[in-house]
Amino acid sequence: MAFFQTSPAAAVTDDLIFFRTRRRTSAALLHRATALGALGMEMFNEMSRRLGLPVLALPELDPSLSPQAAAEAVRRQWALGDFPLPNLVQLVESHGIRVLGIPAAEQDVDAFSFWGQDARPYVFLARRKTPERSRFDLAHELGHLLMHSSTKTDAATDRELEREANVFAATLLLPPDSVRAMMPSAPPLDAVVALARHFGTSAVAAAHSVHDVGRASDWGHRQLMAELTRRGFETGEPGSSLPYERSRIHDALVKHLRQSRITTTAWARAIGQRPDDVAAFTLGQALSVAP
């Protein structure tokens, strides 16, 4: 009942959402994403009544920058050097981006992002992928939010926007100068996997970067990709112990509710949301089972 009694958040329109594989996505799936976006904004509105959330402090990038130059500018402005990125969820949260998960019932909906009508940026991540691919998805969506905020997405622009966001993410996660310095020419597969582990990326992303910086020829890149596929890296990260990244904001919410002697289930129902959805929106950190 509380769902119908609360003031709804501003609508999210699908032309303002940056959505992976838009060209292959049905209208119904896009509408489900916009509904999730609105529910996620409503939840954050309620969280802001209880928590002091980080202020928005994102870099202002020159629109003429290439995606690679934009990623390098972000590293400079955030004083990240050429080192492996820390917890990426917490890094973007600290600059005002709001990161949420996607409920299991909507796992056909891939990662997406948008600027809400509350002038806040939101990113939704599906946790069906590996932690390494989840990091890439978040970096990809950060690229959209920083580079494409004034662009309305449609079938005509989708391919180019996705390419630019992929280049941004790859450069942000795997700094070209570092990749070039760490990799010999024609590196063996084990060296590529070690590079991926060092930077917290998928081995496939590392292989692409090795090729992009000129350390692997076209033929060598094809050989690396074939071997990665044969060893199961196309869909997973065999041998990886990288955990999913935790949100500091969602941990703070759980702590606040516990100190207030309020269960997550009770809070979810009070704000008009399903407990299972709230658990998913909080990246599984507010796990709760409704009685």
Side-chain angles (χ1 to χ4, degrees):
M1 187 177 295
F3 176 82
F4 299 100
Q5 296 172 335
T6 56
S7 299
V12 180
T13 58
D14 59 23
D15 63 328
L16 295 179
I17 285 185
F18 300 110
F19 196 82
R20 303 295 294 272
T21 63
R22 175 183 291 270
R23 288 172 290 108
R24 300 192 300 274
T25 301
S26 67
L29 202 57
L30 281 172
H31 292 329
R32 284 156 60 189
T34 63
L36 287 175
L39 288 173
M41 281 201 299
E42 288 182 12
M43 190 189 80
F44 258 99
N45 287 343
E46 295 295 336
M47 288 170 63
S48 67
R49 302 177 193 275
R50 294 177 173 272
L51 303 174
L53 300 178
V55 299
L56 185 62
L58 294 180
E60 292 186 9
L61 302 178
D62 185 334
S64 67
L65 290 177
S66 68
Q68 181 171 326
E72 291 168 349
V74 170
R75 274 189 168 268
R76 285 195 303 271
Q77 293 188 40
W78 286 357
L80 297 169
D82 282 339
F83 300 105
L85 293 183
N87 181 314
L88 192 53
V89 170
Q90 294 181 12
L91 178 64
V92 302
E93 280 182 336
S94 69
H95 291 86
I97 294 177
R98 298 174 171 186
V99 182
L100 303 95
I102 296 176
E106 303 293 348
Q107 285 296 296
D108 287 340
V109 178
D110 210 338
F112 64 94
S113 60
F114 60 90
W115 281 88
Q117 292 188 28
D118 57 359
R120 296 287 182 172
Y122 291 82
V123 175
F124 286 72
L125 299 173
R127 280 283 172 91
R128 68 177 181 274
K129 299 182 179 180
T130 65
E132 291 84 355
R133 283 169 169 78
S134 183
R135 272 169 61 86
F136 192 94
D137 280 350
L138 181 49
H140 176 105
E141 299 305 329
L142 175 63
H144 278 314
L145 293 170
L146 293 179
M147 296 188 298
H148 304 141
S149 60
S150 61
T151 305
K152 287 196 174 184
T153 59
D154 55 38
T157 63
D158 177 67
R159 185 187 299 273
E160 180 60 17
L161 296 184
E162 289 300 297
R163 185 197 68 80
E164 290 182 354
N166 279 334
V167 172
F168 176 94
T171 304
L172 187 70
L173 290 167
L174 292 147
D177 288 345
S178 293
V179 174
R180 198 175 291 110
M182 294 175 66
M183 288 290 100
S185 295
L189 184 66
D190 288 346
V192 173
V193 172
L195 179 74
R197 299 285 187 266
H198 179 72
F199 284 104
T201 70
S202 70
V204 168
H208 290 326
S209 291
V210 168
H211 176 249
D212 290 342
V213 303
R215 286 295 188 252
S217 65
D218 291 347
W219 181 87
H221 180 241
R222 288 194 295 272
Q223 293 298 107
L224 284 172
M225 294 302 296
E227 183 63 13
L228 286 170
T229 299
R230 188 184 70 79
R231 289 174 53 175
F233 284 94
E234 187 68 25
T235 56
E237 296 299 318
S240 172
S241 59
L242 187 71
Y244 284 110
E245 295 176 332
R246 294 184 69 86
S247 157
R248 185 171 286 123
I249 290 175
H250 297 319
D251 275 342
L253 172 67
V254 173
K255 181 179 179 181
H256 171 80
L257 293 177
R258 185 180 299 120
Q259 291 174 340
S260 302
R261 300 183 181 278
I262 301 172
T263 66
T264 305
T265 295
W267 181 71
R269 288 177 172 162
I271 66 173
Q273 302 225 16
R274 295 183 299 186
D276 288 346
D277 286 351
V278 167
F281 285 153
T282 58
L283 302 174
Q285 293 169 221
L287 288 175
S288 176
V289 179

